[in-house]
């Protein structure tokens, strides 16, 4: 049961946040750095499984809006705010996490996969440690029979870094965001971690070149 203050926040914050994401996002430019033969992940039809870091969620929320991508979001109050925001941006919010409602969340993601959705995990969410992959994407692949997992990372050339556990990144208006798309990997945790690390290196290298 939410308090009166929380109910007001739930009514107002997602609407305002989604609007700001659309307004700022409209000023951004995107470029991609891809491993040989690897397309941009959002151009691959579902069902597929991808992993990314929590810190780049805002940028990804704009670029991948209105694609029906399923994303696992915590059942906490903050998670409810995020869920209602991303739903306004055309995502499918599946509730649960590695810490709260994990089994239900994984089943929800498996159902989304079975329905043909692209499925994306913030691999270090909801509370970190930052950039340390958890087992969620691998568990989903094992549950659904997916043979590979993709990874990506978004790196703005100009951004604000918040003082949060993940150093959450807010791109500045009119910045260029580079996405790194490494080779897809087998559903093994160590390989997913390596792919995400490679995605970061690719995006940051591309950002320095631009």
């Amino acid at each position: 049961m939410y308090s009166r203050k929380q109910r007001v926040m739930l009514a107002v914050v997602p609407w305002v946040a989604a609007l700001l994401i659309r307004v700022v996002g409209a000023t951004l430019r995107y470029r991609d750095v891809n491993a040989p033969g690897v397309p941009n992940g959002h151009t691959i039809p579902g069902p597929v499984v991808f992993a990314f870091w929590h810190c780049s969620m805002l940028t990804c929320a704009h670029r991948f809006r209105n694609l029906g991508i399923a994303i696992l979001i915590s059942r906490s109050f903050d998670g409810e705010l995020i869920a209602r925001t991303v739903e306004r941006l055309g995502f499918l919010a599946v509730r649960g996490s590695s810490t709260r409602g994990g089994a239900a969340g994984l089943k929800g993601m498996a159902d989304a996969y079975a329905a043909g959705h692209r499925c994306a995990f913030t691999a270090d969410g909801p509370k970190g440690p930052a950039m340390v992959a958890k087992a969620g994407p691998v568990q989903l692949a094992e549950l659904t029979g997916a043979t590979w997992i993709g990874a990506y990372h978004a790196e703005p050339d100009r951004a604000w870094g918040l003082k949060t556990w993940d150093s959450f990144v807010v791109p500045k208006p009119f910045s260029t965001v580079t996405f790194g798309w490494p080779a897809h990997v087998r559903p093994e945790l160590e390989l997913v971690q390596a792919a995400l690390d490679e995605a970061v290196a690719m995006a940051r290298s591309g950002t320095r070149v631009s």
Side-chain angles (χ1 to χ4, degrees):
M1 188 69 177
Y2 297 119
S3 67
R4 185 169 181 271
K5 178 181 178 182
Q6 287 176 323
R7 291 196 300 271
V8 170
M9 291 179 66
L10 289 171
V12 174
V13 171
W15 185 87
V16 173
L19 178 62
L20 288 174
I21 289 171
R22 290 184 184 277
V23 170
V24 174
T27 73
L28 302 178
R29 297 189 346 176
Y30 297 116
R31 65 189 300 267
D32 298 284
V33 179
N34 305 66
V38 176
N40 297 345
H42 62 296
T43 67
I44 303 173
V48 291
V49 181
F50 273 84
F52 67 107
W53 296 133
H54 195 277
C55 64
S56 63
M57 182 182 289
L58 190 151
T59 305
C60 297
H62 178 262
R63 189 178 190 189
F64 305 139
R65 68 197 185 282
N66 299 326
L67 293 176
I69 295 172
I71 182 169
L72 186 64
I73 298 174
S74 168
R75 285 180 172 174
S76 66
F77 175 70
D78 287 348
E80 186 67 24
L81 289 173
I82 294 171
R84 296 191 186 194
T85 299
V86 298
E87 285 173 344
R88 287 182 171 273
L89 295 168
F91 290 82
L92 174 64
V94 176
R95 306 310 304 276
S97 71
S98 59
T99 55
R100 303 178 71 177
L106 191 61
K107 182 182 183 302
M109 290 294 278
D111 290 343
Y113 184 96
H117 288 270
R118 304 173 182 91
C119 297
F121 277 84
T122 52
D124 54 348
K127 295 183 178 180
M131 293 191 173
V132 176
K134 296 179 181 178
V138 175
Q139 291 173 337
L140 179 61
E142 292 173 345
L143 188 62
T144 60
T147 58
W148 59 266
I149 294 173
Y152 58 91
H153 179 72
E155 189 78 15
D157 61 354
R158 295 183 300 112
W160 294 286
L162 304 187
K163 293 182 179 180
T164 56
W165 66 265
D166 60 344
S167 300
F168 193 80
V169 174
V170 179
K172 293 183 178 180
F174 303 100
S175 59
T176 297
V177 183
T178 301
F179 278 76
W181 300 96
H184 302 158
V185 297
R186 296 190 309 277
E188 299 174 15
L189 184 57
E190 296 80 4
L191 297 179
V192 172
Q193 177 72 54
L196 285 163
D197 292 342
E198 178 65 15
V200 172
M202 293 170 70
R204 290 179 176 173
S205 176
T207 298
R208 287 195 296 269
V209 171
S210 65

